[in-house]
Amino acid sequence: MEIVDPTRKRVSLLNTGMVQALKVVEAYNLHTFPNLHCLRNLARQEDIIIGSFPFKGRITETYIRTPDGIALLTVKRGLPEAELKHALAHGLGHHFLHKAPGIYVQKILESRLEEDAEDFAAVLLVPPAALKSMGKRISPREMAHLSRIPYPLACRRADLAEKYML
């Protein structure tokens, strides 16, 4: 998908994670910061089973699809709200992007699939309309506070907004 500025000059190509997130935002009418209830409803509508597990270390989420098509998203038990939203959105990214298994380990994004899932999460949790509704350029810290997401994810979203005017 190509982003075009008002003067009709080509700006940049969006990656798969951003394109899919924008499609989901439109399909599910997500124009404000989604809360946990909204993310769980989205998973339910996609027939994703959500569970929790006391993962050790930095593992916060896993997504798998069984050979017979059952989608399982497991998040680390006891995560604070911001990290739980991030884990759910990242897992939803795997579901909408490629259906391949994924394990999210905090601060480790070693593949294009993980990068795309992370961009998906950033755009899903801070949709363009929610960002635009603030009416001014906000700092990643303000964004993290208003959307209740982790600061590093807000930094990623701010970078995407600046780079792609999105």
Side-chain angles (χ1 to χ4, degrees), residues 52-73:
S52 66
F53 185 81
F55 292 119
K56 301 293 182 203
R58 294 186 297 170
I59 295 175
T60 58
E61 165 267 316
T62 63
Y63 173 82
I64 59 169
R65 181 175 286 272
T66 64
D68 55 351
I70 297 171
L72 304 166
L73 175 57

PDB file of all heavy atoms in Angstrom, residues 52-73:
ATOM      1  N   SER A  52      -4.005 -17.873  29.421  1.00  0.00           N
ATOM      2  CA  SER A  52      -2.843 -17.288  30.099  1.00  0.00           C
ATOM      3  C   SER A  52      -1.990 -18.415  30.665  1.00  0.00           C
ATOM      4  O   SER A  52      -2.476 -19.531  30.892  1.00  0.00           O
ATOM      5  CB  SER A  52      -3.281 -16.329  31.209  1.00  0.00           C
ATOM      6  OG  SER A  52      -3.937 -17.038  32.233  1.00  0.00           O
ATOM      7  N   PHE A  53      -0.724 -18.104  30.857  1.00  0.00           N
ATOM      8  CA  PHE A  53       0.228 -19.088  31.350  1.00  0.00           C
ATOM      9  C   PHE A  53       1.325 -18.335  32.095  1.00  0.00           C
ATOM     10  O   PHE A  53       1.702 -17.232  31.682  1.00  0.00           O
ATOM     11  CB  PHE A  53       0.836 -19.872  30.170  1.00  0.00           C
ATOM     12  CG  PHE A  53       1.739 -20.994  30.589  1.00  0.00           C
ATOM     13  CD1 PHE A  53       1.203 -22.214  30.988  1.00  0.00           C
ATOM     14  CD2 PHE A  53       3.110 -20.826  30.605  1.00  0.00           C
ATOM     15  CE1 PHE A  53       2.035 -23.246  31.377  1.00  0.00           C
ATOM     16  CE2 PHE A  53       3.958 -21.856  30.994  1.00  0.00           C
ATOM     17  CZ  PHE A  53       3.407 -23.078  31.391  1.00  0.00           C
ATOM     18  N   PRO A  54       1.863 -18.897  33.164  1.00  0.00           N
ATOM     19  CA  PRO A  54       2.926 -18.191  33.906  1.00  0.00           C
ATOM     20  C   PRO A  54       4.305 -18.354  33.245  1.00  0.00           C
ATOM     21  O   PRO A  54       5.217 -18.959  33.812  1.00  0.00           O
ATOM     22  CB  PRO A  54       2.873 -18.838  35.288  1.00  0.00           C
ATOM     23  CG  PRO A  54       2.396 -20.233  35.026  1.00  0.00           C
ATOM     24  CD  PRO A  54       1.426 -20.106  33.861  1.00  0.00           C
ATOM     25  N   PHE A  55       4.439 -17.821  32.026  1.00  0.00           N
ATOM     26  CA  PHE A  55       5.729 -17.906  31.329  1.00  0.00           C
ATOM     27  C   PHE A  55       6.838 -17.340  32.212  1.00  0.00           C
ATOM     28  O   PHE A  55       6.634 -16.381  32.950  1.00  0.00           O
ATOM     29  CB  PHE A  55       5.703 -17.095  30.023  1.00  0.00           C
ATOM     30  CG  PHE A  55       4.810 -17.643  28.959  1.00  0.00           C
ATOM     31  CD1 PHE A  55       3.748 -16.892  28.485  1.00  0.00           C
ATOM     32  CD2 PHE A  55       5.022 -18.894  28.403  1.00  0.00           C
ATOM     33  CE1 PHE A  55       2.914 -17.375  27.498  1.00  0.00           C
ATOM     34  CE2 PHE A  55       4.196 -19.395  27.409  1.00  0.00           C
ATOM     35  CZ  PHE A  55       3.134 -18.628  26.954  1.00  0.00           C
ATOM     36  N   LYS A  56       7.994 -17.914  32.104  1.00  0.00           N
ATOM     37  CA  LYS A  56       9.173 -17.414  32.828  1.00  0.00           C
ATOM     38  C   LYS A  56       9.966 -16.502  31.910  1.00  0.00           C
ATOM     39  O   LYS A  56       9.897 -16.611  30.688  1.00  0.00           O
ATOM     40  CB  LYS A  56      10.058 -18.580  33.281  1.00  0.00           C
ATOM     41  CG  LYS A  56       9.361 -19.558  34.187  1.00  0.00           C
ATOM     42  CD  LYS A  56       9.017 -18.930  35.510  1.00  0.00           C
ATOM     43  CE  LYS A  56       8.356 -19.970  36.407  1.00  0.00           C
ATOM     44  NZ  LYS A  56       7.550 -19.380  37.433  1.00  0.00           N
ATOM     45  N   GLY A  57      10.731 -15.621  32.475  1.00  0.00           N
ATOM     46  CA  GLY A  57      11.599 -14.741  31.688  1.00  0.00           C
ATOM     47  C   GLY A  57      10.821 -13.703  30.906  1.00  0.00           C
ATOM     48  O   GLY A  57       9.790 -13.210  31.345  1.00  0.00           O
ATOM     49  N   ARG A  58      11.320 -13.383  29.712  1.00  0.00           N
ATOM     50  CA  ARG A  58      10.750 -12.287  28.922  1.00  0.00           C
ATOM     51  C   ARG A  58       9.676 -12.717  27.927  1.00  0.00           C
ATOM     52  O   ARG A  58       9.164 -11.888  27.190  1.00  0.00           O
ATOM     53  CB  ARG A  58      11.865 -11.553  28.181  1.00  0.00           C
ATOM     54  CG  ARG A  58      12.806 -10.831  29.137  1.00  0.00           C
ATOM     55  CD  ARG A  58      13.814  -9.990  28.408  1.00  0.00           C
ATOM     56  NE  ARG A  58      14.669 -10.846  27.576  1.00  0.00           N
ATOM     57  CZ  ARG A  58      15.527 -10.403  26.682  1.00  0.00           C
ATOM     58  NH1 ARG A  58      15.669  -9.115  26.485  1.00  0.00           N
ATOM     59  NH2 ARG A  58      16.254 -11.237  25.981  1.00  0.00           N
ATOM     60  N   ILE A  59       9.308 -13.984  27.894  1.00  0.00           N
ATOM     61  CA  ILE A  59       8.233 -14.414  26.992  1.00  0.00           C
ATOM     62  C   ILE A  59       6.922 -13.828  27.507  1.00  0.00           C
ATOM     63  O   ILE A  59       6.566 -14.005  28.672  1.00  0.00           O
ATOM     64  CB  ILE A  59       8.122 -15.948  26.910  1.00  0.00           C
ATOM     65  CG1 ILE A  59       9.382 -16.539  26.285  1.00  0.00           C
ATOM     66  CG2 ILE A  59       6.886 -16.356  26.108  1.00  0.00           C
ATOM     67  CD1 ILE A  59       9.421 -18.048  26.279  1.00  0.00           C
ATOM     68  N   THR A  60       6.228 -13.094  26.646  1.00  0.00           N
ATOM     69  CA  THR A  60       4.958 -12.493  27.066  1.00  0.00           C
ATOM     70  C   THR A  60       3.762 -13.009  26.285  1.00  0.00           C
ATOM     71  O   THR A  60       2.634 -12.837  26.715  1.00  0.00           O
ATOM     72  CB  THR A  60       4.997 -10.950  26.936  1.00  0.00           C
ATOM     73  OG1 THR A  60       5.275 -10.600  25.592  1.00  0.00           O
ATOM     74  CG2 THR A  60       6.026 -10.343  27.861  1.00  0.00           C
ATOM     75  N   GLU A  61       3.998 -13.644  25.140  1.00  0.00           N
ATOM     76  CA  GLU A  61       2.863 -14.077  24.322  1.00  0.00           C
ATOM     77  C   GLU A  61       3.301 -15.144  23.340  1.00  0.00           C
ATOM     78  O   GLU A  61       4.434 -15.126  22.865  1.00  0.00           O
ATOM     79  CB  GLU A  61       2.316 -12.846  23.586  1.00  0.00           C
ATOM     80  CG  GLU A  61       1.391 -13.096  22.440  1.00  0.00           C
ATOM     81  CD  GLU A  61       2.114 -13.160  21.101  1.00  0.00           C
ATOM     82  OE1 GLU A  61       2.978 -12.318  20.832  1.00  0.00           O
ATOM     83  OE2 GLU A  61       1.812 -14.086  20.324  1.00  0.00           O
ATOM     84  N   THR A  62       2.395 -16.085  23.078  1.00  0.00           N
ATOM     85  CA  THR A  62       2.611 -17.057  22.002  1.00  0.00           C
ATOM     86  C   THR A  62       1.331 -17.149  21.184  1.00  0.00           C
ATOM     87  O   THR A  62       0.233 -16.995  21.715  1.00  0.00           O
ATOM     88  CB  THR A  62       2.957 -18.474  22.524  1.00  0.00           C
ATOM     89  OG1 THR A  62       1.853 -18.983  23.268  1.00  0.00           O
ATOM     90  CG2 THR A  62       4.209 -18.465  23.364  1.00  0.00           C
ATOM     91  N   TYR A  63       1.494 -17.373  19.899  1.00  0.00           N
ATOM     92  CA  TYR A  63       0.349 -17.567  19.010  1.00  0.00           C
ATOM     93  C   TYR A  63       0.618 -18.833  18.213  1.00  0.00           C
ATOM     94  O   TYR A  63       1.696 -18.985  17.628  1.00  0.00           O
ATOM     95  CB  TYR A  63       0.180 -16.393  18.044  1.00  0.00           C
ATOM     96  CG  TYR A  63      -0.894 -16.649  17.015  1.00  0.00           C
ATOM     97  CD1 TYR A  63      -2.234 -16.444  17.325  1.00  0.00           C
ATOM     98  CD2 TYR A  63      -0.584 -17.148  15.760  1.00  0.00           C
ATOM     99  CE1 TYR A  63      -3.232 -16.718  16.401  1.00  0.00           C
ATOM    100  CE2 TYR A  63      -1.569 -17.425  14.823  1.00  0.00           C
ATOM    101  CZ  TYR A  63      -2.888 -17.207  15.150  1.00  0.00           C
ATOM    102  OH  TYR A  63      -3.872 -17.486  14.234  1.00  0.00           O
ATOM    103  N   ILE A  64      -0.338 -19.741  18.204  1.00  0.00           N
ATOM    104  CA  ILE A  64      -0.213 -20.928  17.361  1.00  0.00           C
ATOM    105  C   ILE A  64      -1.565 -21.203  16.702  1.00  0.00           C
ATOM    106  O   ILE A  64      -2.620 -20.831  17.221  1.00  0.00           O
ATOM    107  CB  ILE A  64       0.258 -22.183  18.123  1.00  0.00           C
ATOM    108  CG1 ILE A  64      -0.702 -22.540  19.261  1.00  0.00           C
ATOM    109  CG2 ILE A  64       1.659 -22.022  18.643  1.00  0.00           C
ATOM    110  CD1 ILE A  64      -0.430 -23.896  19.874  1.00  0.00           C
ATOM    111  N   ARG A  65      -1.491 -21.841  15.564  1.00  0.00           N
ATOM    112  CA  ARG A  65      -2.693 -22.306  14.865  1.00  0.00           C
ATOM    113  C   ARG A  65      -2.480 -23.800  14.645  1.00  0.00           C
ATOM    114  O   ARG A  65      -1.480 -24.217  14.068  1.00  0.00           O
ATOM    115  CB  ARG A  65      -2.846 -21.577  13.533  1.00  0.00           C
ATOM    116  CG  ARG A  65      -4.091 -21.990  12.771  1.00  0.00           C
ATOM    117  CD  ARG A  65      -4.256 -21.158  11.529  1.00  0.00           C
ATOM    118  NE  ARG A  65      -4.705 -19.828  11.824  1.00  0.00           N
ATOM    119  CZ  ARG A  65      -5.987 -19.479  11.940  1.00  0.00           C
ATOM    120  NH1 ARG A  65      -6.927 -20.377  11.801  1.00  0.00           N
ATOM    121  NH2 ARG A  65      -6.324 -18.238  12.193  1.00  0.00           N
ATOM    122  N   THR A  66      -3.427 -24.569  15.128  1.00  0.00           N
ATOM    123  CA  THR A  66      -3.319 -26.018  15.001  1.00  0.00           C
ATOM    124  C   THR A  66      -3.576 -26.422  13.553  1.00  0.00           C
ATOM    125  O   THR A  66      -4.153 -25.654  12.782  1.00  0.00           O
ATOM    126  CB  THR A  66      -4.331 -26.727  15.929  1.00  0.00           C
ATOM    127  OG1 THR A  66      -5.647 -26.385  15.509  1.00  0.00           O
ATOM    128  CG2 THR A  66      -4.119 -26.339  17.378  1.00  0.00           C
ATOM    129  N   PRO A  67      -3.166 -27.633  13.173  1.00  0.00           N
ATOM    130  CA  PRO A  67      -3.395 -28.084  11.789  1.00  0.00           C
ATOM    131  C   PRO A  67      -4.867 -28.057  11.376  1.00  0.00           C
ATOM    132  O   PRO A  67      -5.189 -27.889  10.211  1.00  0.00           O
ATOM    133  CB  PRO A  67      -2.851 -29.512  11.784  1.00  0.00           C
ATOM    134  CG  PRO A  67      -1.829 -29.518  12.865  1.00  0.00           C
ATOM    135  CD  PRO A  67      -2.354 -28.588  13.928  1.00  0.00           C
ATOM    136  N   ASP A  68      -5.758 -28.170  12.361  1.00  0.00           N
ATOM    137  CA  ASP A  68      -7.184 -28.125  12.025  1.00  0.00           C
ATOM    138  C   ASP A  68      -7.776 -26.713  12.138  1.00  0.00           C
ATOM    139  O   ASP A  68      -8.994 -26.537  12.121  1.00  0.00           O
ATOM    140  CB  ASP A  68      -7.987 -29.122  12.866  1.00  0.00           C
ATOM    141  CG  ASP A  68      -7.799 -28.948  14.360  1.00  0.00           C
ATOM    142  OD1 ASP A  68      -6.921 -28.165  14.771  1.00  0.00           O
ATOM    143  OD2 ASP A  68      -8.530 -29.592  15.124  1.00  0.00           O
ATOM    144  N   GLY A  69      -6.904 -25.696  12.249  1.00  0.00           N
ATOM    145  CA  GLY A  69      -7.348 -24.308  12.164  1.00  0.00           C
ATOM    146  C   GLY A  69      -7.720 -23.628  13.463  1.00  0.00           C
ATOM    147  O   GLY A  69      -8.223 -22.503  13.452  1.00  0.00           O
ATOM    148  N   ILE A  70      -7.487 -24.249  14.602  1.00  0.00           N
ATOM    149  CA  ILE A  70      -7.805 -23.607  15.882  1.00  0.00           C
ATOM    150  C   ILE A  70      -6.688 -22.635  16.225  1.00  0.00           C
ATOM    151  O   ILE A  70      -5.506 -22.994  16.218  1.00  0.00           O
ATOM    152  CB  ILE A  70      -7.978 -24.658  16.999  1.00  0.00           C
ATOM    153  CG1 ILE A  70      -9.156 -25.566  16.668  1.00  0.00           C
ATOM    154  CG2 ILE A  70      -8.165 -23.978  18.351  1.00  0.00           C
ATOM    155  CD1 ILE A  70      -9.285 -26.771  17.572  1.00  0.00           C
ATOM    156  N   ALA A  71      -7.063 -21.388  16.501  1.00  0.00           N
ATOM    157  CA  ALA A  71      -6.088 -20.341  16.829  1.00  0.00           C
ATOM    158  C   ALA A  71      -6.030 -20.163  18.339  1.00  0.00           C
ATOM    159  O   ALA A  71      -7.060 -19.966  18.991  1.00  0.00           O
ATOM    160  CB  ALA A  71      -6.480 -19.033  16.158  1.00  0.00           C
ATOM    161  N   LEU A  72      -4.816 -20.238  18.886  1.00  0.00           N
ATOM    162  CA  LEU A  72      -4.601 -20.108  20.326  1.00  0.00           C
ATOM    163  C   LEU A  72      -3.625 -18.972  20.599  1.00  0.00           C
ATOM    164  O   LEU A  72      -2.499 -18.983  20.090  1.00  0.00           O
ATOM    165  CB  LEU A  72      -4.029 -21.409  20.897  1.00  0.00           C
ATOM    166  CG  LEU A  72      -4.830 -22.682  20.652  1.00  0.00           C
ATOM    167  CD1 LEU A  72      -3.983 -23.904  20.978  1.00  0.00           C
ATOM    168  CD2 LEU A  72      -6.096 -22.657  21.481  1.00  0.00           C
ATOM    169  N   LEU A  73      -4.051 -18.016  21.397  1.00  0.00           N
ATOM    170  CA  LEU A  73      -3.205 -16.890  21.799  1.00  0.00           C
ATOM    171  C   LEU A  73      -3.047 -16.979  23.309  1.00  0.00           C
ATOM    172  O   LEU A  73      -4.033 -16.887  24.047  1.00  0.00           O
ATOM    173  CB  LEU A  73      -3.856 -15.570  21.389  1.00  0.00           C
ATOM    174  CG  LEU A  73      -3.187 -14.278  21.820  1.00  0.00           C
ATOM    175  CD1 LEU A  73      -1.752 -14.205  21.315  1.00  0.00           C
ATOM    176  CD2 LEU A  73      -3.985 -13.084  21.297  1.00  0.00           C
TER     177      LEU A  73
END
